[in-house]
Amino acid sequence: MESKPPRYDEYLKMYMEMMSFAKEELKRREKSPVHIPKEKIDREFMGQNWVLLVDPRIGFNSRIIRFWINGFPPGEENNQWKTMGHRHTVEAVIHVLKGHGYSIIDGVRYDWEPGDFICVPVFAWHRHVNLSDEDMVYVASTTGPLSMGIGVAIYEDERYPEYWVFAQKDTAEKKSLIPGAVEIPDMQRGIPKGIDPAHYEGSTAAKLYFEQLRFAEEEEQARRKGKVLVKGKDLKFERTPMGWVAPVVDPKLGFHVKVMSTLVAHMEPGKRSGAHRHLYEEVNHVLSGEGYSIIEDKRYNWEKGDTLSIPVFSWHQHFNTSREPARFLVHTGRPAMENIGLMNTQQGEVAD
Ligand SMILES: [Fe+2]
Ligand SMILES: [Fe+2]
């Protein structure tokens, strides 16, 4: 399709859209919902097993993270998931709230119980089996909005083969974590067999290009070497200016993630967290306790089961007013922002 040259006034309008973007974005952030009470889950769980809590498609000004809660009865999560399950070109972290069972991820079994975390490698087939006699309930966070926004989201689900893009092509395509991996046969580490890198000896441009050709296979190997399961009982809480924190999923801790990070924050009864703001999205899910948060000068009361969606670069601080420790499950888009160099975190009041 040929593009039609815009008129001068149309160019001017587009230019002014860029100039005004940041101020318009501030208004969008202000309108983005912040507090998602647990009643939403109780209300919407009736009649379905999937409740979206944070997603741009339900009015949140989030661009990276999707967050939801899932419940499913004993057995396979989806009745037709018997062999493969599904896979997607997004990062995903699951936190088990109820039930015990296992997941098959890229052919490997991982057993889980309440309090555990599963970090699913990008484009690895996975399915979940609930071995308990009650519902399995988990909260999950993925980078679906980012992958959809940049046009590279692929979801292949055993139940919907009509939407497969690569899985139907070849059994090798089903085994690979690289979309389109075997469309060109006779490749060796991403390089077609007829090409001899030695022929380009001394060329820096060729060296860079061969690294580019090898990237997908090296990425696939790194994904398969990354950590997957974190047991809740192994969390180690340590002091930071923001309070007690146990890192869970982080590229610096052996997980092959580039976009998302996960941690659990802990506040003793009557104590407060530190205050800070940062250029990445953050979703907090209250695992225990009761209290309130101040987010950009507004107060939000919360209790176990509530969720807070912290808009980009908004100051936030949390206060535990209950007699039990308060814990937050925290998902952020920090690694993505560090990778594109748009990262700034500012510390305010320090945790007590
Ligand atoms: Fe998934
Ligand atoms: Fe934060």
Side-chain angles (χ1 to χ4, degrees):
M1 205 175 83
E2 212 174 303
S3 75
K4 200 168 122 251
R7 294 190 316 265
Y8 176 73
D9 60 324
E10 288 169 329
Y11 265 129
L12 192 63
K13 187 170 163 269
M14 286 188 269
Y15 190 74
M16 293 319 291
E17 265 169 18
M18 299 185 311
M19 293 304 106
S20 60
F21 182 87
K23 281 215 163 170
E24 299 288 337
E25 185 71 1
L26 286 177
K27 286 185 218 152
R28 288 190 283 270
R29 268 177 217 159
E30 259 173 44
K31 280 192 206 134
S32 188
V34 169
H35 180 224
I36 306 106
K38 74 174 189 354
E39 287 75 46
K40 175 183 158 73
I41 300 170
D42 298 340
R43 202 172 56 236
E44 293 184 23
F45 249 149
M46 308 282 284
Q48 63 174 28
N49 59 5
W50 189 61
V51 179
L52 268 181
L53 298 171
V54 177
D55 188 304
R57 296 172 297 174
I58 53 170
F60 289 82
N61 189 43
S62 56
R63 307 292 170 86
I64 293 179
I65 293 176
R66 169 174 306 138
F67 183 67
W68 71 93
I69 187 162
N70 233 27
F72 72 93
E76 199 89 17
E77 181 181 18
N78 284 287
N79 290 332
Q80 294 108 314
W81 283 5
K82 297 291 179 206
T83 51
M84 295 181 293
H86 76 153
R87 63 176 180 177
H88 34 61
T89 51
V90 305
E91 294 176 3
V93 176
I94 286 170
H95 178 57
V96 182
L97 298 174
K98 264 191 211 165
H100 64 89
Y102 63 88
S103 299
I104 303 289
I105 301 170
D106 200 21
V108 180
R109 173 175 165 155
Y110 299 91
D111 287 72
W112 40 254
E113 59 192 341
D116 292 351
F117 303 82
I118 304 155
C119 176
V120 181
V122 168
F123 221 44
W125 291 100
H126 54 287
R127 60 192 176 90
H128 313 298
V129 181
N130 176 6
L131 293 177
S132 48
D133 46 19
E134 56 172 351
D135 278 6
M136 181 220 184
V137 180
Y138 65 81
V139 279
S141 181
T142 75
T143 58
L146 177 73
S147 289
M148 287 170 81
I150 60 175
V152 296
I154 302 168
Y155 285 80
E156 292 186 327
D157 186 313
E158 196 176 350
R159 294 167 301 166
Y160 305 107
E162 67 272 32
Y163 294 113
W164 289 358
V165 177
F166 296 106
Q168 82 281 19
K169 292 192 174 157
D170 197 293
T171 43
E173 288 282 11
K174 283 201 188 83
K175 287 181 187 153
S176 176
L177 307 192
I178 308 166
V182 292
E183 288 199 328
I184 299 175
D186 296 331
M187 298 256 269
Q188 211 167 23
R189 296 187 64 223
I191 299 169
K193 281 217 177 110
I195 296 177
D196 179 10
H199 181 69
Y200 303 89
E201 193 64 48
S203 161
T204 303
K207 181 176 167 284
L208 294 177
Y209 187 64
F210 284 120
E211 279 172 17
Q212 180 185 332
L213 287 174
R214 289 186 188 113
F215 184 90
E217 283 198 19
E218 281 166 13
E219 180 75 5
E220 182 187 48
Q221 285 170 20
R223 273 185 212 148
R224 286 196 158 124
K225 279 187 206 135
K227 280 192 204 163
V228 169
L229 183 70
V230 178
K231 302 299 286 178
K233 61 178 170 45
D234 295 335
L235 291 186
K236 191 176 164 212
F237 290 89
E238 293 170 306
R239 259 208 137 108
T240 75
M242 285 302 289
W244 291 91
V245 167
V248 180
V249 171
D250 194 290
K252 290 167 190 152
L253 297 175
F255 294 87
H256 193 72
V257 285
K258 304 279 180 94
V259 176
M260 198 166 60
S261 75
T262 299
L263 57 87
V264 177
H266 173 104
M267 270 177 287
E268 285 294 311
K271 299 286 186 187
R272 59 160 201 255
S273 75
H276 74 173
R277 66 173 179 173
H278 38 68
L279 278 176
Y280 55 81
E281 291 174 20
E282 174 177 327
V283 173
N284 297 332
H285 183 72
V286 184
L287 297 171
S288 67
E290 199 180 321
Y292 66 93
S293 298
I294 302 294
I295 301 168
E296 284 291 305
D297 298 330
K298 281 197 196 118
R299 177 179 166 141
Y300 300 90
N301 294 329
W302 45 256
E303 59 182 323
K304 181 183 170 181
D306 287 2
T307 300
L308 297 168
S309 170
I310 315 274
V312 165
F313 222 42
S314 302
W315 285 101
H316 47 286
Q317 185 171 25
H318 315 295
F319 301 80
N320 179 10
T321 55
S322 63
R323 291 188 188 171
E324 58 165 335
R327 281 197 179 174
F328 277 23
L329 168 67
V330 181
H331 294 294
T332 83
R334 178 179 50 74
M337 301 307 283
E338 286 175 351
N339 283 325
I340 60 172
L342 279 173
M343 187 43 188
N344 184 13
T345 301
Q346 295 173 328
Q347 181 68 39
E349 190 173 45
V350 169
D352 61 9

